[in-house]
């Protein structure tokens, strides 16, 4: 086999160092990909696949993209989960001896994005590392585009909490140790987030190595100041994350200036089911919208990310909740401060991500200009907030700096409206560098001399149409049309013949050309050097700018809460630890805003931990049971994020967790039926809810037979009601009207229903929740509203009448002439059956309160089968 060409040898040597990435190999104005990378890229990017010589005998697959469009293609790769290693020419091809030197300057992965076009402005882009050490799962997650870095630990056996946090943080890339991720908590994490997992060597998660990396990065002798000393598993994970960043980034991530301990126990637990069912950030139907979409009226990207983080991390600390409420109230009552604050914040760009690009050395001229413009608004914002009375806003006000030195640096060095890239020139402001000014002067003078040459040659030759032009092939030249060729002097040197003209050069023209072009190249080179120096100097202010960015983002989020409160009539809730949940005229924050609907009807709610801890809610489909229950959960969540709430008044006891069992869906990927998914979610609630939790249950047991479903729903309600087992505040919607009997046996259970009115065989939904149970489901009337054919509805009514009278013929048709006794039912009524004496004794001896849910269900199932046999 013939030897490789020098270029392919260079390519293969570099590619061996980055086997898991697509290598973007810079060649002139293109990034080329070879071999397997080219085959993968041609499919992923939908570009043409061709080939080039690998050696004298072989060809290798090849494809490429223009360098100026690289970001577009890299974005496509990242969206499909690929990594991209960007390999640049690191020397001038004109001065290179042999093959141009090339190096990978950065590896772009889903968790290490910096470019705006690859990021979503309102979302964080977290990279997470996880490991297990001494029965603790260490989590470290960072967004290098904002400089945030958090460390946490969770007990290894608390897998449910771990997965909940993963869904909440939503890492775009998850680093796991190869061996440890094969079992236990990490295996479950790898299963749930398998498409985002990046397996690394186990030694990358070494505890001592991790500690050393952190100490070196922050320049400290201990980690006490960050509050993570003693979090050994968390430190090991953080070290792995820093190691990964060192491998993928061109230089140290200096915008990560601090690391924070993240305590999962300080926030309300929101598992994936709760976030999905409450539609916090994503809509289930695509029609009703989301809570974040309704509440996010922030005016900065930083504020939008902050508000989203708050909604996903409701607080448990009363003091912190009240501090936010106080700040929002201050802004609600002070119209001038609120409007001025929001108006000035509109001029602030994304300071966190600007500083990340500046610190990473990838910022362009317009990034520095945007930073200067943004910082100029900070003194105005600080003056605006000077009159605040809330403690939280005062603290934010005090944390703002005017950044005079940094603003002056950029203003002195960079022009007001710089070009997009350095290669366009004209970035550095005149007066910043005497050397640059001198070269610019010579260049301008040189261009003036060329204009003078044109005028002199016109005078000498008498050719008025003579022009001095320029192109990249010939440089400067003189162009003369054919009608004047007879006047061309002998010292003109012909360079090119065109159809209607000839092109010439002169010794004088070439002499000036060399001076002018040399000066232009020197200007670009010097501007690049000066800009890099200014950018490096600006990066030194990263910590100060991040502090300001954090304060501005929080001000923006608080002001957005205040704006929502004023425009939508929200009120400040009274918060305490008493366990009472009293809402007057509560409204659903999203549904009430949907246009084209009927007027939204507010509803009251009263829950406590004693006589009103479980509300059985009955009523027909479409009446509003689900909307009512969700609105209660959303009001609680909003209150604990610091927002005002959609109600006339609200008194709310702190909730440690919101559980939801709503809707029906299967999980095909895991081979689980709708009913199995329902039971898994129900089991999670029974095993993890506390007396401080809020539980939303919608139609438990409907995924199986009537008897099984009713039995399960009954047992679940009893188990939750039992203070010794759960005792949580619960809203339980059901079509099993038999469950209303529970209120007669248990003092903490109350019956409510969604009021309807019947009129001419039709129903009118009143949308009002009233005390008492409902004994009808109005299924056929709802079916009529859904548009079922009249023939089907008529037949359904006929069958329903027969079922209620227990009249059936042998062929399955209603036997209307046979009277088997009014009131008899072909379905077992667990609460009306008259069993034999032995069965009655067994039923009376069931001690449900001292059974587990599974034991109770098993016993009820056994008795159900025997009762059915007896009935037959």
């Amino acid at each position: 086999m013939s030897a490789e060409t020098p270029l392919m040898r260079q390519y293969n040597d570099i590619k061996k160092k980055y086997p898991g990435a697509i290598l973007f190999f810079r060649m002139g104005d293109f990034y080329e990909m070879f071999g397997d990378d080219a085959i993968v890229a041609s499919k992923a990017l939908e570009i043409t696949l061709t080939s080039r010589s690998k050696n004298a005998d072989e060809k290798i697959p090849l494809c490429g993209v223009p360098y100026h469009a690289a970001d577009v293609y890299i974005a496509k790769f990242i969206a499909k989960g690929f990594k991209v290693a960007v390999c640049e020419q690191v020397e001038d091809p004109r001065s290179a001896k042999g093959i141009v030197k090339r190096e990978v300057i950065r590896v772009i992965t889903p968790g290490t994005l910096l470019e705006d076009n690859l990021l979503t402005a309102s979302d964080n882009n977290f990279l997470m590392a996880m490991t297990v050490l001494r029965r603790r799962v260490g989590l470290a997650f960072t967004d290098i585009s904002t400089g945030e870095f958090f460390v946490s630990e969770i007990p290894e056996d608390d897998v449910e909490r771990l997965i909940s946090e993963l869904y909440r943080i939503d890492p775009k890339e998850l680093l796991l140790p190869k061996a440890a991720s094969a079992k236990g908590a990490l295996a479950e994490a790898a299963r749930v987030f398998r498409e985002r997992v990046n397996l690394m060597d186990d030694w990358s998660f070494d505890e001592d190595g991790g500690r050393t990396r952190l100490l070196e990065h922050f320049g400290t002798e201990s980690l006490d100041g960050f509050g993570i000393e003693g979090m050994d598993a968390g430190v090991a994970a953080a070290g792995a994350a820093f190691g990964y960043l060192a491998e993928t980034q061109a230089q140290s991530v200096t915008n990560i200036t601090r690391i924070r301990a993240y305590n999962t126990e300080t926030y309300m637990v929101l598992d994936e089911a709760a976030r999905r069912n409450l539609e916090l950030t994503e809509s289930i139907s695509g029609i009703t919208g989301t809570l974040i979409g309704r509440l996010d009226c922030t005016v900065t990207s930083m504020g939008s990310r902050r508000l989203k983080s708050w909604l996903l991390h409701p607080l448990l600390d009363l003091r912190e909740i009240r501090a936010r409420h106080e700040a929002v109230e201050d802004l609600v009552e002070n119209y001038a401060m609120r409007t001025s604050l929001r108006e000035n914040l509109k001029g602030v760009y994304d300071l966190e991500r600007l500083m990340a690009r500046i610190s990473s050395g990838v910022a362009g001229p317009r990034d520095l200009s945007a930073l200067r413009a943004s910082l100029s608004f900070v003194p105005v914002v600080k003056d605006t907030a000077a009159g605040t009375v809330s403690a939280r806003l005062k603290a934010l006000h005090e944390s703002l700096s005017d950044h005079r030195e940094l603003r002056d640096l950029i203003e002195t060095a960079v022009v007001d409206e710089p070009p997009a890239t350095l290669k366009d020139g004209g970035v550095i402001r005149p007066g910043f560098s005497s050397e640059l000014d001198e070269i610019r002067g010579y260049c301008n003078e040189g261009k003036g001399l060329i204009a003078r040459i044109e005028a002199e040659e016109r005078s000498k030759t008498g050719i008025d149409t003579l022009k001095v032009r320029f192109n990249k092939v010939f440089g400067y030249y003189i162009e003369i049309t054919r009608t004047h060729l007879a006047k061309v002097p002998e010292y003109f040197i012909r360079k090119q013949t065109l159809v209607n003209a000839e092109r010439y050069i002169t010794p004088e023209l070439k002499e000036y050309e060399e001076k002018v072009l040399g000066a232009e190249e020197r200007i670009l080179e010097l501007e690049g050097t000066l800009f890099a120096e200014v950018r490096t100097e600006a990066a030194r202010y990263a910590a100060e700018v991040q502090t300001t960015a954090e304060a501005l983002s929080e001000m923006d989020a608080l002001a957005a809460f205040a704006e929502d409160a004023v425009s939508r009539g929200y009120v400040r809730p009274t918060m305490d630890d008493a366990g009472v949940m009293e809402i007057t005229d509560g409204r659903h924050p999203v549904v009430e805003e949907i246009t084209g609907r009927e007027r939204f009807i507010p509803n009251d709610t009263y829950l406590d931990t004693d006589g009103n801890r479980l509300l059985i809610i009955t009523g027909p489909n479409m009446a509003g049971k689900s909307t009512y229950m969700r609105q209660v959960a959303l009001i609680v969540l909003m209150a604990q994020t610091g927002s005002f709430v959609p109600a006339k008044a609200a008194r709310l006891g702190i909730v440690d967790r919101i559980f939801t069992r709503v809707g029906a869906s299967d999980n095909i990927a895991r081979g689980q039926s709708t009913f199995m998914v329902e039971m898994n979610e129900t089991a999670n609630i029974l095993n993890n809810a506390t007396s401080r939790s809020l539980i939303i249950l919608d139609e438990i047991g409907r995924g199986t037979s009537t008897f099984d479903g009713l039995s399960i729903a009954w047992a679940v309600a009893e188990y939750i009601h039992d203070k010794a087992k759960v005792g949580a505040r619960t809203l339980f919607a059901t079509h099993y009207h038999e469950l209303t009997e529970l209120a007669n046996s248990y003092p903490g259970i109350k019956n409510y229903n969604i009021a309807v009115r019947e009129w001419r065989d039709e129903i009118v939904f009143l949308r009002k929740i009233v005390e008492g149970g409902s004994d009808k489901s109005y299924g056929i009337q709802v079916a009529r509203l859904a548009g079922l054919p009249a023939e089907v509805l008529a037949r359904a009514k006929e069958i329903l009448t027969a079922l209620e009278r227990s009249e059936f013929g042998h062929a399955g048709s209603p036997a209307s002439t046979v009277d088997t006794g009014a009131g008899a039912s072909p379905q077992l009524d667990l609460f009306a059956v008259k069993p034999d004496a032995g069965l009655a004794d067994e039923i009376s001896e069931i001690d449900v309160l001292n059974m587990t849910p599974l034991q109770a269900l098993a016993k009820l199932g056994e008795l159900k089968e025997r009762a059915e046999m007896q009935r037959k």
Side-chain angles (χ1 to χ4, degrees):
M1 183 177 292
S2 302
E4 293 177 319
T5 63
L7 178 69
M8 290 311 304
R9 188 181 307 115
Q10 183 189 51
Y11 172 86
N12 288 327
D13 288 344
I14 296 174
K15 176 62 182 175
K16 288 175 185 176
K17 299 177 183 178
Y18 303 93
I22 301 292
L23 184 61
F24 260 38
F25 192 74
R26 182 70 178 267
M27 294 179 63
D29 289 340
F30 282 81
Y31 285 106
E32 305 287 7
M33 288 150 280
F34 298 95
D36 291 341
D37 280 4
I39 296 172
V40 170
S42 66
K43 295 178 180 178
L45 304 180
E46 299 180 351
I47 56 178
T48 302
L49 181 67
T50 181
S51 64
R52 67 168 288 153
S53 295
K54 179 179 181 180
N55 51 48
D57 304 314
E58 294 181 87
K59 290 186 177 295
I60 186 171
L62 162 72
C63 66
V65 299
Y67 81 95
H68 58 78
D71 284 352
V72 175
Y73 292 103
I74 289 174
K76 291 182 179 180
F77 268 132
I78 296 301
K80 295 182 179 183
F82 292 98
K83 300 178 185 177
V84 178
V86 181
C87 182
E88 292 286 1
Q89 298 173 171
V90 293
E91 66 175 341
D92 191 334
R94 293 173 298 182
S95 59
K97 296 179 180 179
I99 296 296
V100 176
K101 185 178 179 181
R102 294 178 174 87
E103 293 178 359
V104 171
I105 61 165
R106 184 178 165 215
V107 180
I108 304 174
T109 74
T112 60
L113 305 179
L114 290 170
E115 294 76 9
D116 274 346
N117 65 303
L118 303 180
L119 294 163
T120 302
S122 59
D123 292 342
N124 276 108
N125 193 80
F126 284 119
L127 166 75
M128 176 181 281
M130 289 173 50
T131 190
V132 175
L133 189 64
R134 291 185 278 280
R135 304 193 62 78
R136 303 281 292 176
V137 178
L139 297 84
F141 52 101
T142 180
D143 182 347
I144 67 168
S145 74
T146 63
E148 297 166 284
F149 201 115
F150 301 92
V151 171
S152 183
E153 288 187 355
I154 294 175
E156 183 181 8
D157 58 0
D158 197 349
V159 178
E160 193 273 336
R161 179 179 283 270
L162 174 64
I163 299 304
S164 291
E165 286 303 320
L166 280 174
Y167 275 115
R168 172 150 48 191
I169 297 165
D170 190 26
K172 299 303 182 288
E173 190 171 1
L174 181 58
L175 311 178
L176 297 176
K178 291 179 180 177
S181 61
K183 58 183 179 179
L186 298 193
E188 181 64 11
R191 184 194 63 76
V192 174
F193 283 81
R194 57 186 177 275
E195 295 181 355
R196 305 182 189 185
V197 169
N198 188 353
L199 296 179
M200 300 174 63
D201 293 327
D202 289 23
W203 58 261
S204 302
F205 294 82
D206 176 68
E207 178 188 352
D208 292 333
R211 185 178 304 277
T212 299
R213 286 194 188 101
L214 297 184
L215 294 177
E216 288 178 351
H217 178 84
F218 294 109
T220 60
E221 295 184 357
S222 80
L223 300 174
D224 288 337
F226 300 111
I228 62 171
E229 192 66 64
M231 298 173 64
D232 298 337
V235 168
F242 266 105
Y244 186 71
L245 293 177
E247 292 177 6
T248 58
Q249 303 307 296
Q251 58 191 53
S252 176
V253 280
T254 56
N255 66 309
I256 298 179
T257 60
R258 58 187 168 183
I259 195 165
R260 292 179 175 177
Y262 172 85
N263 185 356
T264 61
E265 296 179 358
T266 62
Y267 305 110
M268 178 195 291
V269 178
L270 289 171
D271 60 21
E272 191 269 339
R275 286 191 298 277
R276 179 187 67 246
N277 292 330
L278 296 180
E279 299 181 295
L280 300 185
T281 58
E282 295 182 12
S283 173
I284 296 174
S285 64
I287 299 174
T288 56
T290 63
L291 183 63
I292 185 68
R294 182 59 58 200
L295 297 183
D296 188 3
C297 63
T298 55
V299 294
T300 70
S301 298
M302 302 178 295
S304 182
R305 291 194 297 272
R306 175 75 57 184
L307 191 144
K308 182 177 181 179
S309 177
W310 282 357
L311 288 182
L312 294 178
H313 295 82
L315 299 169
L316 297 180
D317 189 307
L318 266 176
R319 290 175 301 175
E320 292 187 43
I321 295 171
R322 288 169 177 166
R324 285 188 190 171
H325 286 162
E326 182 184 53
V328 173
E329 187 170 56
D330 193 1
L331 290 165
V332 165
E333 295 176 351
N334 194 327
Y335 170 82
M337 179 170 65
R338 184 179 76 252
T339 54
S340 177
L341 185 65
R342 285 170 56 82
E343 189 62 33
N344 283 293
L345 284 173
K346 290 178 182 178
V348 178
Y349 290 88
D350 197 331
L351 290 176
E352 292 174 324
R353 288 183 168 166
L354 284 174
M355 284 308 301
R357 291 196 294 276
I358 290 169
S359 299
S360 301
V362 299
R366 290 181 179 173
D367 287 326
L368 282 184
S369 180
L371 176 61
R372 177 193 58 77
S374 298
L375 294 179
S376 68
F377 284 96
V378 176
V380 184
V381 170
K382 185 167 185 174
D383 289 344
T384 300
T388 182
V389 297
S390 79
R392 186 61 199 148
L393 283 175
K394 284 182 179 179
L396 296 175
H397 169 265
E398 292 300 321
S399 68
L400 294 176
S401 168
D402 66 3
H403 302 283
R404 170 58 64 183
E405 289 184 2
L406 179 55
R407 283 191 288 140
D408 288 347
L409 169 66
I410 300 173
E411 189 168 354
T412 302
V414 181
V415 296
D416 291 337
E417 296 182 4
T421 63
L422 283 167
K423 69 178 183 179
D424 295 323
V427 172
I428 302 300
R429 190 184 296 275
F432 181 72
S433 167
S434 58
E435 181 183 2
L436 179 61
D437 290 345
E438 182 179 346
I439 299 173
R440 280 175 170 168
Y442 187 80
C443 183
N444 292 333
E445 180 185 349
K447 291 182 178 179
L449 290 173
I450 289 175
R452 180 178 59 78
I453 289 174
E454 182 180 79
E456 288 180 352
E457 293 299 339
R458 283 182 178 180
S459 177
K460 289 179 184 178
T461 60
I463 304 173
D464 293 337
T465 58
L466 180 150
K467 296 182 182 298
V468 176
R469 300 182 183 275
F470 175 84
N471 66 30
K472 292 183 178 180
V473 178
F474 298 112
Y476 286 98
Y477 58 86
I478 296 172
E479 184 172 286
I480 298 176
T481 59
R482 288 194 172 277
T483 56
H484 296 288
L485 290 182
K487 299 179 182 178
V488 173
E490 293 183 359
Y491 61 87
F492 275 28
I493 303 170
R494 181 183 287 112
K495 292 295 294 182
Q496 187 179 23
T497 300
L498 303 177
V499 176
N500 296 316
E502 295 280 352
R503 290 176 175 175
Y504 302 88
I505 61 172
T506 68
E508 182 184 21
L509 184 61
K510 298 314 290 181
E511 179 183 348
Y512 284 120
E513 176 190 298
E514 291 176 3
K515 293 179 180 180
V516 170
L517 295 184
E520 289 178 343
E521 290 180 4
R522 177 60 183 146
I523 287 171
L524 290 177
E525 180 182 340
L526 186 54
E527 278 204 325
T529 300
L530 293 171
F531 180 80
E533 291 174 355
V534 173
R535 185 172 58 196
T536 300
E537 180 66 15
R540 293 197 309 105
Y541 296 87
E544 296 175 27
V545 174
Q546 284 173 341
T547 298
T548 292
E550 187 172 342
L552 294 179
S553 69
E554 190 166 337
M555 285 181 168
D556 190 12
L558 291 169
F561 278 162
E563 191 69 20
D564 283 328
V566 172
S567 62
R568 297 188 169 97
Y570 294 175
V571 299
R572 177 178 177 175
T574 300
M575 306 298 297
D576 56 40
D577 269 325
V580 174
M581 195 176 293
E582 185 176 9
I583 302 170
T584 304
D585 283 349
R587 314 187 304 276
H588 193 295
V590 178
V591 176
E592 73 164 336
E593 297 287 335
I594 297 176
T595 58
R597 290 179 58 95
E598 62 201 78
R599 183 174 64 88
F600 189 89
I601 305 299
N603 274 297
D604 297 345
T605 303
Y606 187 86
L607 283 164
D608 58 29
T609 56
D610 191 22
N612 296 272
R613 61 180 178 273
L614 194 153
L615 308 186
I616 300 290
I617 304 172
T618 51
N621 287 315
M622 295 177 61
K625 298 189 301 295
S626 295
T627 297
Y628 169 71
M629 293 192 300
R630 283 185 171 103
Q631 90 181 26
V632 173
L634 290 175
I635 285 173
V636 169
L637 185 144
M638 288 171 62
Q640 290 185 219
T641 63
S643 171
F644 283 17
V645 299
K648 186 176 180 180
R651 177 193 172 194
L652 303 171
I654 294 294
V655 167
D656 65 356
R657 181 164 184 167
I658 295 176
F659 289 94
T660 62
R661 162 82 282 282
V662 179
S665 63
D666 53 18
N667 191 328
I668 297 174
R670 297 186 64 181
Q672 295 179 346
S673 66
T674 297
F675 182 64
M676 187 61 180
V677 171
E678 179 183 328
M679 289 299 98
N680 281 338
E681 293 182 358
T682 303
N684 176 46
I685 295 171
L686 299 184
N687 290 324
N688 293 289
T690 73
S691 60
R692 300 181 69 204
S693 302
L694 173 63
I695 300 175
I696 305 298
L697 295 174
D698 194 1
E699 308 296 351
I700 288 291
R702 65 179 174 180
T704 185
S705 70
T706 301
F707 298 138
D708 284 347
L710 174 57
S711 301
I712 292 170
W714 183 283
V716 167
E718 288 183 330
Y719 191 86
I720 291 174
H721 172 270
D722 185 359
K723 285 187 175 182
K725 295 182 174 68
V726 179
R729 290 158 290 184
T730 304
L731 299 175
F732 196 135
T734 183
H735 283 290
Y736 296 131
H737 299 136
E738 294 87 346
L739 292 184
T740 59
E741 297 292 329
L742 285 165
N744 297 326
S745 304
Y746 297 97
I749 298 179
K750 294 289 187 293
N751 289 321
Y752 285 85
N753 71 91
I754 304 292
V756 298
R757 290 290 182 269
E758 294 185 72
W759 183 74
R760 294 183 181 178
D761 203 30
E762 295 186 0
I763 56 172
V764 177
F765 299 121
L766 302 184
R767 312 297 187 191
K768 200 71 178 175
I769 187 163
V770 296
E771 196 164 358
S774 172
D775 58 359
K776 295 182 68 176
S777 290
Y778 300 98
I780 293 177
Q781 288 89 338
V782 173
R784 177 183 289 108
L785 294 176
L788 264 66
E791 180 181 350
V792 173
L793 295 173
R795 175 61 174 162
K797 289 180 65 176
E798 184 179 298
I799 294 172
L800 176 62
T801 301
L803 285 171
E804 291 175 342
R805 298 177 58 191
S806 192
E807 296 178 353
F808 278 89
H810 294 293
S813 299
S816 56
T817 58
V818 180
D819 188 357
T820 59
S825 172
Q827 290 195 6
L828 171 65
D829 186 338
L830 287 177
F831 315 101
V833 68
K834 297 179 180 180
D836 60 26
L839 192 58
D841 289 340
E842 289 191 52
I843 293 175
S844 66
E845 291 174 1
I846 296 178
D847 187 4
V848 177
L849 292 180
N850 290 316
M851 290 182 174
T852 67
L854 291 178
Q855 290 172 332
L857 294 179
K859 186 64 177 176
L860 285 169
E862 176 189 341
L863 296 177
K864 180 202 72 173
E865 291 179 2
R866 291 173 56 188
E868 285 183 274
M869 292 178 64
Q870 174 189 320
R871 178 175 58 81
K872 291 178 181 178

